[in-house]
Amino acid sequence: MDAVLLNIVGSVPLVTKLWAIGCVGLSLLTSTYAVDPSKKIYNFDLVFKKGQYGRILYSLFDYGELDWALMFNIYMSINHLTVLENSFNSKRRYCWIVILTLACIIVMSSMEQPASSLGVILHENLVYYQVRRNIEGEHFRMLGFEVSPLMIPLYMNAFMLFVLKRSWLQVAMNFVPGHILCYLDDTINKIYGVDLCKTPYDWWIDRRAGPIR
């Protein structure tokens, strides 16, 4: 059993592994009140008008209370994020995509309070980004029909909108940032050959190298 667990943990890429450790660690800290649970609540005004920037970090690792449901959610998230992270040749670029996605979410949160934590919303956007980027190669069969994987986030967002009565903007936070980043990173790059999601370090390296003669 220990060998199986070590094999699973060892197969998880670095960024996803650090995120999972952070989620479990924050849950431990808040369950023992080493960290005030109220600090996990992200609010744009509290962060950028009151200077409580730690709420961004806490909210990124906020996946709920420490219980079996948390462990299951983290396990499922690890599966999704491992596939996405491994699809990038550069960890630097993957981290930059994550940062840009988070920045879009924060900008949208200035207009309305998010329905869940930044970590949950970021995960939803990264899953949407992954599905959108591989939409042509990934379909599954249901009741004899070919079904697009986009139907899953569509169903979840419709559930939030019509059953849970969330606002349009709260629902849009779950996929619009991921859609924008996928369009800039994949579509624009393929059509026009312009890499708008290049990391600042790569921009700097290209600028130092200068034009090829």
Side-chain angles (χ1 to χ4, degrees):
M1 183 64 180
D2 292 341
V4 174
L5 290 174
L6 287 173
N7 186 45
I8 293 173
V9 173
S11 65
V12 177
L14 179 61
V15 178
T16 299
K17 188 181 299 182
L18 292 175
W19 170 83
I21 292 171
C23 289
V24 175
L26 180 63
S27 294
L28 282 170
L29 292 172
T30 53
S31 64
T32 58
Y33 289 90
V35 171
D36 184 356
S38 66
K39 290 185 178 179
K40 297 191 301 181
I41 301 173
Y42 168 81
N43 178 273
F44 185 88
D45 289 341
L46 289 177
V47 171
F48 294 101
K49 294 183 180 179
K50 300 293 185 179
Q52 300 178 17
Y53 298 106
R55 290 181 181 272
I56 294 179
L57 182 62
Y58 289 137
S59 188
L60 274 176
F61 296 108
D62 179 19
Y63 244 61
E65 300 298 325
L66 185 61
D67 53 21
W68 287 110
L70 169 72
M71 302 308 295
F72 177 76
N73 288 334
I74 289 178
Y75 172 75
M76 296 302 296
S77 299
I78 285 174
N79 289 335
H80 294 144
L81 297 178
T82 293
V83 173
L84 178 59
E85 185 173 346
N86 286 337
S87 69
F88 282 81
N89 295 324
S90 168
K91 297 290 184 189
R92 182 170 62 247
R93 187 177 183 88
Y94 175 66
C95 291
W96 184 237
I97 290 293
V98 171
I99 291 171
L100 291 176
T101 306
L102 177 61
C104 289
I105 295 169
I106 290 175
V107 169
M108 294 180 72
S109 74
S110 67
M111 294 176 276
E112 185 154 1
Q113 177 68 20
S116 52
S117 71
L118 293 180
V120 171
I121 297 174
L122 179 61
H123 172 247
E124 293 294 330
N125 277 279
L126 291 176
V127 170
Y128 181 87
Y129 172 94
Q130 175 195 347
V131 171
R132 191 77 204 177
R133 203 167 62 156
N134 302 308
I135 191 65
E136 295 181 359
E138 294 186 4
H139 285 73
F140 60 91
R141 297 188 68 83
M142 181 179 291
L143 300 177
F145 296 96
E146 289 285 338
V147 179
S148 168
L150 281 177
M151 291 302 296
I152 297 176
L154 177 63
Y155 169 79
M156 296 302 296
N157 289 325
F159 181 82
M160 285 183 62
L161 184 64
F162 298 111
V163 178
L164 300 181
K165 304 298 183 182
R166 303 300 187 187
S167 71
W168 282 96
L169 188 55
Q170 287 175 323
V171 173
M173 285 185 203
N174 284 332
F175 68 93
V176 168
H179 186 83
I180 292 173
L181 265 297
C182 184
Y183 182 76
L184 294 177
D185 183 39
D186 192 57
T187 307
I188 294 294
N189 203 349
K190 287 179 179 177
I191 295 177
Y192 301 104
V194 179
D195 189 358
L196 296 177
C197 293
K198 187 183 297 184
T199 70
Y201 178 80
D202 291 326
W203 281 109
W204 180 74
I205 289 296
D206 289 348
R207 187 171 181 179
R208 279 182 60 105
I212 301 176
R213 297 181 180 179

